[in-house]
């Protein structure tokens, strides 16, 4: 395996309901370190499933996924902290705690770090500032707009300075201005921090922003 | 933010449920505090009584259900006095009397020269004749009596010649008259309830010096041999073996245990519901990488916080219940409010333990959540 490859997907398939539903079928994919990869495809093509597998949240029915040369399955077993330290995830539905404020939501992953309370606070605030939400530290996420919530979700995903950021339809429910903001943030993170970004989207126009894209259809890579 | 503040916020966001659960725990702790507190109060009162009197041994009728039902021959006192290691022995007759139709008071009958009168703080003087009595400070306050007033005990009138204070709540809530007079009233001219025996310390038996406990045991066995129909008890064991006191304590613990079980099931119910309602949030915590130990800690913090708050509420409620109980006519002259810091710490520790036990099942349920199921469901 080339030493630039961060994640390798080898002949991965994912079935549900005892094989009746094929979410992914014989996927082979290499993701290079520092790359910005877009996974395109219509709804139901398997994009979210693939992202969940890349993030170690689920296991393939067949095949293997390697992270930095090691099986994700083994890395997860060896340490529960593997995911939090290496992979940040921006979920399609944001999944923020509605009863917590912005600062508290962004701090959630940091509670698993070795950072002292002051340092955790400092990092959380700097991420929120990066997202342009400086005046929203103590706002409940339930009171934020969709675009603002999306940015909070991204800040949370970046909290542990992970090697990889997986984003599932991060611009799906945003207007064009907010879409552009989010994409600019991703580009900046990729360029400045060298974070490998894998983003799933059904919007073809969005896909054209990035240096590489693959297309999924009915669980297969078609281009 | 830390786990504790996160747990607190979760409880705060479900205020009604939190309050109801806290109240449930509070009631169980209040039951424990008031019942055990009262029972301990009574046993402590026993101990204080014997310490004040410097009593080492109690001699009473063998087979009597409790202290008050004993009737032993008064003549035994002379033979007990002859035992060289005995420093002092006092006869005592005990009874209860109804005053003002609803209040029961303890009545003691002591010999006129009894050393039981020693170490008493008395205003006035000791009784010298059969129609005189002294009363405890609690009785004086309660019935608004002063020296020179009359008091009626079992249809007999007595003049109050002294008012005394005592560390023992039994004594302070009592009336003391001459033994002979109480024997007349009870129509038991030759009987007493018990003898209080004080053993000489640092005696030399033969040419060998015996330590204090052994001296008491020695005298105990001497008296037992002299009087086979008498039960001789070391005061340290009398409280634990007295049927009434131990029945009370066992009853109090039994009721408290039932209350604790109810409290535990209340907290488990609340916490399991909370975990179910927060399946999404907990699933996300696991998805973003929180370890099981952190998830468990979060749930346990919530559970322990609930029960801790319940413990505090219980202490306050328990205090109120105890005050009410000791004001009941049957108890008011033989118990006193005693709410020390060690007892309160015990109650709070029990509440924390309840919280810990209750959190185990909900915590295990929380870590069994599969984040992928949460994500797929959405």
């Amino acid at each position: 395996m080339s030493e630039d490859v961060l994640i390798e997907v080898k002949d991965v398939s994912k079935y549900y309901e005892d094989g009746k539903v094929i979410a992914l079928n014989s996927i082979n994919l290499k993701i290079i370190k520092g790359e910005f990869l877009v996974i395109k495809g219509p709804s139901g093509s398997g994009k979210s499933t693939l992202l969940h597998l890349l993030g170690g949240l689920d296991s393939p029915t067949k095949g293997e996924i390697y992270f930095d040369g090691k099986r994700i399955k083994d890395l997860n077993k060896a340490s529960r902290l593997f995911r939090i330290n290496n992979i940040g995830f921006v979920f399609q539905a944001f999944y923020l705690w509605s009863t917590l404020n912005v600062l508290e939501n962004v701090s959630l992953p940091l509670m698993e770090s070795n950072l002292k309370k002051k340092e955790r606070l400092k990092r959380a605030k700097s991420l929120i500032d990066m997202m342009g939400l400086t005046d929203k530290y103590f706002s409940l996420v339930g009171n934020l707009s969709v675009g603002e919530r999306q940015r909070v979700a991204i800040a949370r995903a970046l909290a542990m300075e992970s090697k990889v950021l997986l984003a599932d339809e991060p611009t799906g429910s945003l207007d064009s201005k907010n879409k552009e903001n989010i994409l600019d943030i991703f580009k900046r993170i990729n360029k400045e921090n060298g974070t490998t970004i894998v983003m799933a989207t059904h919007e073809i126009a969005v896909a054209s922003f990035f240096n590489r894209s693959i297309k999924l259809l009915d669980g297969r890579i078609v281009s | 933010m830390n786990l504790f503040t996160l747990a607190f916020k979760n409880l705060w966001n479900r205020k009604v449920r939190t309050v109801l659960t806290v109240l449930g725990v509070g009631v169980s702790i209040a039951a424990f505090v008031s019942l055990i507190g009262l029972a301990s109060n009574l046993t402590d009162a026993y101990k204080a009584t014997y310490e004040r009197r410097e009593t080492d041994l109690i001699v009473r009728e063998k087979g009597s259900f409790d202290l008050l039902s004993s009737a032993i021959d008064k003549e035994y006192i002379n033979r007990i006095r002859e035992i060289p290691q005995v420093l002092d022995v006092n006869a005592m007759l005990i009874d209860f009397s109804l005053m003002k139709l609803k209040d029961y008071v303890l009545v003691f009958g002591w010999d006129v020269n009894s050393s039981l009168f020693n170490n008493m703080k008395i205003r006035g003087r000791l009784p010298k004749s059969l129609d005189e009595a002294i009363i405890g400070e609690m009785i004086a306050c309660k019935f608004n009596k002063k020296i020179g007033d009359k008091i009626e005990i079992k249809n007999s009138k007595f003049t109050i010649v002294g008012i005394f204070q005592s560390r023992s709540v039994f004594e302070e809530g009592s009336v003391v008259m001459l033994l002979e007079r109480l024997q007349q009233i009870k129509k038991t001219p030759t009987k007493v309830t018990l003898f209080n025996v004080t053993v000489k310390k640092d005696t030399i038996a033969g040419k060998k010096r015996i330590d204090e406990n052994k001296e008491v045991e020695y005298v105990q066995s001497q008296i037992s041999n002299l009087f086979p129909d008498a039960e001789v008890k070391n005061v340290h064991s009398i409280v634990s073996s007295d049927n009434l006191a131990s029945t009370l304590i066992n009853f109090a613990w039994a009721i408290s245990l039932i209350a604790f079980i109810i409290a535990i099931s209340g907290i488990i119910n609340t916490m399991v519901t909370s975990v179910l309602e927060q399946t999404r949030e907990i699933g996300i915590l696991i998805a973003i990488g929180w370890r099981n130990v952190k998830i468990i800690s979060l749930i346990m913090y919530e559970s322990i916080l609930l029960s801790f708050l319940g413990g505090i509420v219980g202490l306050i409620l328990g205090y109120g219940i105890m005050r009410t109980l000791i004001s009941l006519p049957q108890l008011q002259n033989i118990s006193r409010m005693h709410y020390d810091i060690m007892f309160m710490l015990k109650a709070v520790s029990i509440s924390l333990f309840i919280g810990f036990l209750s959190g185990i099942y909900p915590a295990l349920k929380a870590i069994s959540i599969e984040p992928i199921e949460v994500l797929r469901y959405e």
Side-chain angles (χ1 to χ4, degrees):
Chain A
M1 196 183 302
S2 160
E3 61 188 24
D4 284 328
V5 173
L6 183 60
I7 301 175
E8 184 169 359
V9 180
K10 273 191 177 170
D11 199 28
V12 157
S13 298
K14 181 72 181 175
Y15 308 139
Y16 296 110
E17 292 175 34
D18 292 326
K20 284 181 199 153
V21 176
I22 301 171
L24 294 172
N25 199 349
S26 296
I27 303 290
N28 286 282
L29 178 63
K30 285 180 187 176
I31 301 167
I32 311 299
K33 273 180 200 168
E35 184 173 20
F36 197 145
L37 173 71
V38 171
I39 302 173
K40 298 181 292 190
S43 186
S45 56
K47 302 188 299 297
S48 296
T49 306
L50 180 56
L51 279 187
H52 293 159
L53 293 178
L54 292 176
L57 289 169
D58 201 358
S59 307
T61 314
K62 276 190 344 187
E64 292 292 349
I65 300 178
Y66 295 86
F67 188 96
D68 232 353
K70 298 188 181 104
R71 290 194 312 178
I72 277 189
K73 192 162 51 180
D74 297 335
L75 288 168
N76 260 337
K77 256 191 205 157
S79 167
R80 185 65 172 270
L81 290 175
F82 155 71
R83 265 194 296 113
I84 205 170
N85 284 332
N86 291 284
I87 301 170
F89 214 116
V90 183
F91 300 100
Q92 190 169 4
F94 314 151
Y95 292 129
L96 301 170
W97 277 50
S98 56
T99 51
L100 301 180
N101 61 36
V102 170
L103 197 56
E104 287 162 344
N105 267 283
V106 174
S107 302
L108 281 174
L110 293 168
M111 287 170 72
E112 275 290 20
S113 71
N114 295 326
L115 295 175
K116 292 198 173 86
K117 192 176 171 188
K118 252 187 181 169
E119 287 163 6
R120 290 204 306 253
L121 199 60
K122 192 177 165 194
R123 187 184 291 187
K125 281 184 173 175
S126 84
L127 284 166
I128 295 167
D129 294 343
M130 192 203 311
M131 298 296 143
L133 295 169
T134 308
D135 57 339
K136 304 274 184 188
Y137 287 154
F138 302 108
S139 302
L140 285 180
V141 294
N143 296 336
L144 301 178
S145 68
V146 173
E148 287 169 336
R149 271 185 265 158
Q150 185 60 288
R151 280 181 273 160
V152 174
I154 295 170
R156 185 183 66 186
L158 294 172
M160 295 296 278
E161 296 178 339
S162 318
K163 290 178 186 169
V164 178
L165 180 69
L166 303 173
D168 193 357
E169 301 275 7
T171 59
S173 40
L174 301 179
D175 56 40
S176 53
K177 186 171 179 244
N178 277 313
K179 260 193 244 283
E180 235 180 87
N181 286 338
I182 297 299
L183 294 173
D184 281 341
I185 288 169
F186 280 159
K187 277 191 152 173
R188 206 161 15 113
I189 293 163
N190 175 245
K191 195 173 172 189
E192 290 172 13
N193 303 345
T195 307
T196 306
I197 299 182
V198 180
M199 186 177 111
T201 182
H202 63 272
E203 296 170 277
I204 298 168
V206 165
S208 63
F209 268 80
F210 307 103
N211 54 24
R212 184 158 83 111
S213 66
I214 61 167
K215 186 172 178 186
L216 275 183
L217 193 62
D218 296 330
R220 285 181 186 276
I221 296 176
V222 295
S223 66
Chain B
M1 185 175 64
N2 53 35
L3 278 178
F4 179 80
T5 49
L6 191 54
F8 181 82
K9 273 183 180 260
N10 282 344
L11 293 177
W12 184 257
N13 288 326
R14 303 187 310 272
K15 289 186 197 59
V16 173
R17 196 186 306 155
T18 298
V19 165
L20 290 173
T21 309
V22 163
L23 274 176
V25 176
V27 166
S28 80
I29 296 295
F32 167 78
V33 157
S34 52
L35 292 173
I36 298 290
L38 196 63
S40 301
N41 213 328
L42 291 173
T43 54
D44 287 346
Y46 270 121
K47 284 182 199 158
T49 306
Y50 297 124
E51 275 166 20
R52 207 272 310 160
R53 296 170 184 169
E54 296 177 342
T55 303
D56 295 305
L57 296 167
I58 297 288
V59 183
R60 65 183 190 189
E61 184 188 6
K62 198 179 240 178
S64 52
F65 176 74
D66 60 22
L67 217 53
L68 294 179
S69 56
S70 157
I72 194 165
D73 206 315
K74 197 194 167 200
E75 286 311 304
Y76 288 6
I77 196 171
N78 298 320
R79 293 177 68 191
I80 295 173
R81 269 204 187 107
E82 286 167 7
I83 299 171
Q85 288 80 17
V86 168
L87 178 66
D88 195 12
V89 58
N90 291 288
M92 183 188 298
L93 189 58
I94 309 174
D95 200 4
F96 269 107
S97 177
L98 188 65
M99 280 181 67
K100 294 210 171 178
L101 296 175
K102 60 182 177 74
D103 289 307
Y104 286 93
V105 296
L106 265 175
V107 183
F108 290 109
W110 297 347
D111 273 321
V112 62
N113 297 315
S114 174
S115 60
L116 293 173
F117 287 114
N118 297 350
N119 304 324
M120 261 186 158
K121 267 189 195 169
I122 301 185
R123 279 183 288 127
R125 60 173 176 81
L126 295 175
K128 287 177 188 161
S129 66
L130 297 181
D131 61 348
E132 289 177 347
I134 58 173
I135 62 173
E137 192 75 60
M138 264 168 70
I139 300 291
C141 287
K142 187 156 183 234
F143 297 103
N144 200 23
K145 295 286 182 189
K146 50 190 189 307
I147 294 170
D149 286 350
K150 297 279 188 207
I151 195 167
E152 189 171 312
I153 301 289
K154 292 195 178 284
N155 300 319
S156 299
K157 282 202 164 45
F158 295 85
T159 305
I160 298 167
V161 296
I163 296 173
F164 65 90
Q165 286 178 336
S166 173
R167 270 185 346 159
S168 162
V169 70
F170 286 148
E171 286 182 354
E172 249 201 41
S174 71
V175 175
V176 182
M177 62 181 67
L178 294 181
L179 175 62
E180 196 185 327
R181 185 69 184 108
L182 189 54
Q183 281 175 320
Q184 286 172 1
I185 290 170
K186 284 188 70 145
K187 298 185 173 57
T188 55
T190 61
K191 300 287 186 191
V192 293
T193 306
L194 53 92
F195 299 111
N196 291 280
V197 179
T198 308
V199 171
K200 282 180 194 167
K201 310 297 186 300
D202 298 336
T203 52
I204 297 175
K207 286 188 180 162
K208 217 174 164 188
R209 186 194 169 92
I210 312 170
D211 76 64
E212 204 170 289
N213 282 339
K214 288 215 163 70
E215 285 166 334
V216 172
E217 280 168 16
Y218 178 74
V219 173
Q220 187 177 6
S221 67
Q222 293 274 78
I223 300 173
S224 296
N225 291 336
L226 273 175
F227 308 111
D229 62 334
E231 186 178 50
V232 188
K233 285 273 185 193
N234 189 320
V235 294
H236 302 294
S237 67
I238 196 100
V239 168
S240 55
S241 68
D242 182 82
N243 284 334
L244 189 62
S246 58
T247 301
L248 201 59
I249 292 212
N250 291 341
F251 178 74
W253 270 109
I255 298 292
S256 298
L257 214 57
I258 292 168
F260 292 153
I261 290 168
I262 293 170
I264 287 172
S265 56
I267 297 180
I268 290 177
N269 183 53
T270 297
M271 291 308 302
V272 166
T273 309
S274 163
V275 164
L276 286 172
E277 283 176 354
Q278 292 183 93
T279 298
R280 186 178 178 273
E281 283 83 356
I282 294 171
I284 292 312
L285 288 178
I286 300 173
I288 64 173
W290 271 34
R291 290 165 297 161
N292 285 348
V293 67
K294 214 146 196 105
I295 304 285
I296 290 171
S297 302
L298 178 63
I299 305 300
M300 295 301 276
Y301 264 118
E302 269 189 53
S303 181
I304 291 171
L305 191 54
L306 267 175
S307 62
F308 174 73
L309 293 171
I312 302 298
V313 166
L315 281 177
I316 299 167
L317 268 177
Y319 181 86
I321 293 171
M322 239 177 113
R323 273 213 90 90
T324 307
L325 285 174
I326 65 167
S327 66
L328 291 173
Q330 294 81 354
L331 295 174
Q332 58 186 248
N333 300 324
I334 57 168
S335 56
R336 213 172 359 214
M337 271 307 285
H338 186 57
Y339 220 61
D340 68 16
I341 192 90
M342 285 311 297
F343 183 66
M344 290 198 277
L345 282 174
K346 201 192 242 184
V348 171
S349 305
I350 289 175
S351 75
L352 291 175
F353 183 64
I354 287 174
F356 174 78
L357 275 184
S358 308
I360 294 172
Y361 174 67
L364 292 175
K365 204 158 171 64
I367 60 171
S368 70
I369 292 171
E370 285 290 341
I372 194 63
E373 295 301 328
V374 172
L375 297 172
R376 256 198 253 122
Y377 176 76
E378 295 284 333

